[in-house]
Every structure is written in C-alpha cells, then in structure tokens.
Amino acid sequence: MNAKSIREEYRALRNELDKEISNLEKTHNQHMICKKGCDLCCLSFNVFPIEFDVIREEMQLELDKTAMSAEETPTDTCSLLQNHSCTIYPSRPFICRTHGLPLLYMQDDEWVLSHCELNFTNIDEDYFEPEQCHAQDTWNSRLFMLNKRYIESLNDPNLNETDLMPLSALKTR
C-alpha cells in the first residue's frame, strides 16, 4: 500500500474514533465542562509521523525544521493554541480528541481510570463502567499499527515505527 492510501485509512480511523467520542460525550455530558477556551490539557505533544503528516496536509501548515530536532515533553502549552483556541482543531491528534473523557488504560497489569480533573467532580469511582470509558490502549494499538505500515510505505531509512514528531514543528502562517 502507498502512503496516500494509508493516510486515508488514518482519516477513516479518526472518523471512527470521533463517533465513539461523540457517544461518550452524550453519555457523560452532565459531568463534562470541556468547551472552547478550556485549554488546561493543551500541552505540547509528540505524535506519530502519520498524524503529523495528515495534520500538516489538512491544515496546510509549514514545517519548522529547527523544531524537528527538539525533544518535547508534555509540560509546555501547545504552540498551536492561540487565544485559548486550537488552530488545528478539525485535524487535532488522537490524544487531543480524547482529553477530558474517562480513559481506561493498562499500567503495571492493572486497569487505570483517568479523566480531566475539571470533569466528573461530583461523582465517585463507582459511576464508571468499562463500556462508558474510552479504551485508550486499544485505540493506541490501532494507531501504532497503522503508523507502522505508513513508515514502511515511506521507505525512509531515517524513520522507524517508534519515532515521534513534535507538534511544535508545525507552524501556522
């Protein structure tokens, strides 16, 4: 498969994720305060090359080659956030799409529940059922496998399946 068709698969996977997110938001709407201007979770992340390339393509962003070599840790505010608004919102990465939702992931052979500290403030942990949470590891695995195929299709000896790219390397005009 070529890179272009794999990017289309990514878009289809992202649409599938958006449907799940929409259902979870409807389920939990009375406990979530996420809205435009709420940007506590808008940190500077590194993403897989497939996400990076699709965002750059869809948003027609320029590449800041000096930022490509910078090691990022998710502690700084995202450089694509301007006036408390995401400049790439329609194309934002998977991690940004799921913030605020109740997330389940595996850590040290145990399921861990995570959610934004601003959401779900008046409930106890018994409220959450697994089917009412986003299975983060499942989606991350699917994204990883798609990215792996994407990297293989590029035939770039400088990229491997575990490489991540800094979102800060994407520049708005």
Side-chain angles (χ1 to χ4, degrees):
M1 250 186 193
N2 66 31
K4 183 178 179 181
S5 63
I6 297 172
R7 286 193 304 271
E8 288 306 314
E9 282 186 60
Y10 168 82
R11 288 180 177 93
L13 182 63
R14 187 178 65 191
N15 289 339
E16 187 181 336
L17 174 65
D18 284 347
K19 287 178 185 169
E20 178 191 287
I21 290 169
S22 178
N23 289 335
L24 287 172
E25 286 172 342
K26 287 175 189 167
T27 299
H28 301 295
N29 67 357
Q30 70 275 19
H31 301 292
M32 295 183 63
I33 64 162
C34 299
K35 62 184 178 294
K36 186 175 181 176
C38 178
D39 57 16
L40 185 65
C41 61
C42 298
L43 304 175
S44 187
F45 291 104
N46 294 329
V47 297
F48 285 125
I50 192 167
E51 286 194 284
F52 186 90
D53 288 349
V54 169
I55 292 167
R56 186 172 65 168
E57 177 182 270
E58 289 178 352
M59 302 307 293
Q60 300 175 352
L61 300 175
E62 296 176 14
L63 182 63
D64 179 356
K65 293 186 188 227
T66 60
M68 284 300 294
S69 61
E71 286 293 318
E72 286 195 40
T73 56
T75 56
D76 300 318
T77 301
C78 180
S79 62
L80 299 170
L81 183 70
Q82 294 178 4
N83 298 320
H84 301 282
S85 184
C86 179
T87 59
I88 62 165
Y89 191 82
S91 299
R92 68 198 185 284
F94 276 40
I95 190 167
C96 301
R97 290 171 186 274
T98 61
H99 273 296
L101 295 170
L103 309 174
L104 277 179
Y105 61 94
M106 185 65 71
Q107 183 177 352
D108 299 327
D109 296 327
E110 289 187 34
W111 287 107
V112 175
L113 173 68
S114 173
H115 57 77
C116 175
E117 63 192 50
L118 302 176
N119 295 332
F120 306 100
T121 57
N122 296 322
I123 57 165
D124 60 29
E125 297 292 312
D126 294 338
Y127 165 80
F128 297 101
E129 297 292 329
E131 52 280 345
Q132 296 176 324
C133 297
H134 173 70
Q136 190 165 2
D137 291 343
T138 301
W139 287 94
N140 285 349
S141 294
R142 292 176 69 188
L143 178 59
F144 177 84
M145 295 308 292
L146 191 60
N147 182 69
K148 181 178 177 180
R149 289 182 29 239
Y150 182 67
I151 296 299
E152 290 167 359
S153 76
L154 294 176
N155 270 337
D156 183 342
N158 297 316
L159 279 178
N160 71 58
E161 64 191 35
T162 59
D163 284 343
L164 297 172
M165 304 177 88
L167 277 178
S168 63
L170 295 173
K171 290 176 49 174
T172 56
R173 295 175 191 172

